[in-house]
Amino acid sequence: MALRFSPTMALEAKRNGKKLVEITAYDYSFAKIIDETQQIDMILVGDSLGMVMQGHSTTLPVTIDHSVYHTSIVSRAVTKAMVIADMPFMSYQVSPEQALKNAGRLIQEGNADAVKLEGAGRFAKAISMIVESGIPVQGHLGLTPQSINMLGGWKIQGKTMSAAERLLQQAEELVDAGVFSIVLEGMPNETAKMISESVSVPTIGIGAGPHCDGQVLVLHDLLGLSDFQPVFVKRYADLKKVSQEAISSYADEVRNGAFPGTEYTYKTKLQKDNE
Ligand code: KIV
């Protein structure tokens, strides 16, 4: 079986100036649609599933069991892209040992190719333990949603020169710990540019401008399935409208008797018992 997109391929893409494309998915059907395009390098089973799939207002309620489950059903559909499983809140913060154990679950039970976790500093130890165990790690810096209560809301990070330099220092810590790429979320273009030009691994931006080595978007936002539309989300389709039109047509046709017409009914005739 051919291997899926790998960390080595991601690093090579950065060296060759080839942009990387990452997208989220949470279920088998959409993962299959995405993977069959053969256009996507990395599929992230993000803890955004807490907001997109579960209807919470933050990512904080997502558990490792939720993440394992969604990763396993996404992974079943994917042959080409790298499947990256997000490590949810409190699945790695307790200790490096806890982080390693849960990263292992995402690989063994979820069939992920890599894991992602937020932050640097004290998490560098957990990241190097995970990487040394053979599990690729994607880092995540900037507006890190699991720290929303510390950040005081969904606020752009790295806005001053000193804050940008702190982010750069964290990015370097992550590279030293062994990450193969870093998501940069919610920061000025210049901050993301400075980090992207300084570190050896690819940066993947979301709300961080055009200078990153790749981009990631939440699937439901780019397809127009969610109502979330901050400035950095481009809607490439309006599937909410298309879906609601289809559902309304179905309801109308059931009510006026047009569905199911003869073309949607079995042609088998009722037989007598002895025929
Ligand atoms: O959970 C998620 O979907 C993410 C991306 C937005 C990067 O972390």
Side-chain angles (χ1 to χ4, degrees):
M1 195 182 81
L3 281 180
R4 301 197 285 216
F5 191 80
S6 67
T8 315
M9 289 156 97
L11 291 163
E12 202 175 293
K14 172 148 182 153
R15 277 197 297 274
N16 296 332
K18 193 168 156 260
K19 293 272 188 188
L20 290 160
V21 189
E22 181 167 333
I23 199 167
T24 68
Y26 316 98
D27 68 278
Y28 177 86
S29 304
F30 267 126
K32 194 159 189 305
I33 291 170
I34 294 167
D35 201 51
E36 281 179 4
T37 67
Q38 305 217 359
Q39 297 290 323
I40 300 300
D41 302 313
M42 293 171 277
I43 295 180
L44 172 67
V45 187
D47 62 356
S48 49
L49 75 88
M51 301 168 82
V52 176
M53 304 301 288
Q54 299 174 334
H56 294 295
S57 58
T58 70
T59 61
L60 299 177
V62 177
T63 67
I64 186 67
D65 288 339
H66 297 155
S67 200
V68 167
Y69 169 72
H70 283 277
T71 303
S72 71
I73 59 176
V74 163
S75 195
R76 204 165 296 143
V78 176
T79 59
K80 189 176 184 300
M82 183 196 307
V83 175
I84 305 174
D86 227 349
M87 299 198 66
F89 183 57
M90 282 301 135
S91 72
Y92 61 94
Q93 282 87 347
V94 176
S95 67
E97 289 71 21
Q98 182 218 24
L100 177 59
K101 187 163 164 282
N102 283 325
R105 282 195 66 193
L106 291 164
I107 302 295
Q108 289 190 308
E109 298 171 48
N111 196 23
D113 303 304
V115 299
K116 173 169 88 57
L117 59 88
E118 298 179 7
R122 64 181 276 265
F123 302 121
K125 173 91 170 63
I127 292 170
S128 50
M129 268 175 75
I130 297 170
V131 172
E132 280 161 20
S133 305
I135 302 172
V137 177
Q138 181 167 70
H140 187 164
L141 294 175
L143 201 184
T144 43
Q146 290 176 21
S147 306
I148 201 74
N149 292 324
M150 285 297 286
L151 301 177
W154 306 92
K155 293 191 178 139
I156 303 278
Q157 302 298 302
K159 284 195 296 192
T160 59
M161 204 52 216
S162 55
E165 272 158 14
R166 269 198 305 281
L167 281 176
L168 173 59
Q169 193 192 329
Q170 291 179 345
E172 280 161 356
E173 279 168 24
L174 293 185
V175 174
D176 290 344
V179 299
F180 74 92
S181 62
I182 306 171
V183 170
L184 299 180
E185 178 163 357
M187 63 184 69
N189 297 357
E190 298 93 314
T191 304
K193 183 170 189 281
M194 176 175 80
I195 297 171
S196 302
E197 286 172 354
S198 305
V199 297
S200 55
V201 302
T203 58
I204 311 292
I206 175 161
H211 305 294
C212 297
D213 302 302
Q215 296 290 327
V216 56
L217 275 181
V218 168
L219 177 73
H220 291 58
D221 298 342
L222 82 90
L223 292 182
L225 279 166
S226 69
D227 295 328
F228 185 64
Q229 199 166 19
V231 67
F232 61 84
V233 169
K234 178 169 178 181
R235 277 200 182 149
Y236 287 86
D238 193 350
L239 291 199
K240 178 172 174 180
K241 185 160 169 270
V242 172
S243 305
Q244 287 181 333
E245 282 169 0
I247 291 161
S248 299
S249 299
Y250 164 65
D252 287 347
E253 291 197 358
V254 169
R255 291 198 177 102
N256 67 25
F259 180 83
T262 49
E263 67 274 46
Y264 297 107
T265 53
Y266 290 114
K267 306 294 175 283
T268 312
K269 296 272 183 262
L270 180 65
Q271 297 170 356
K272 290 190 183 141
D273 285 341
N274 56 3
E275 268 178 11

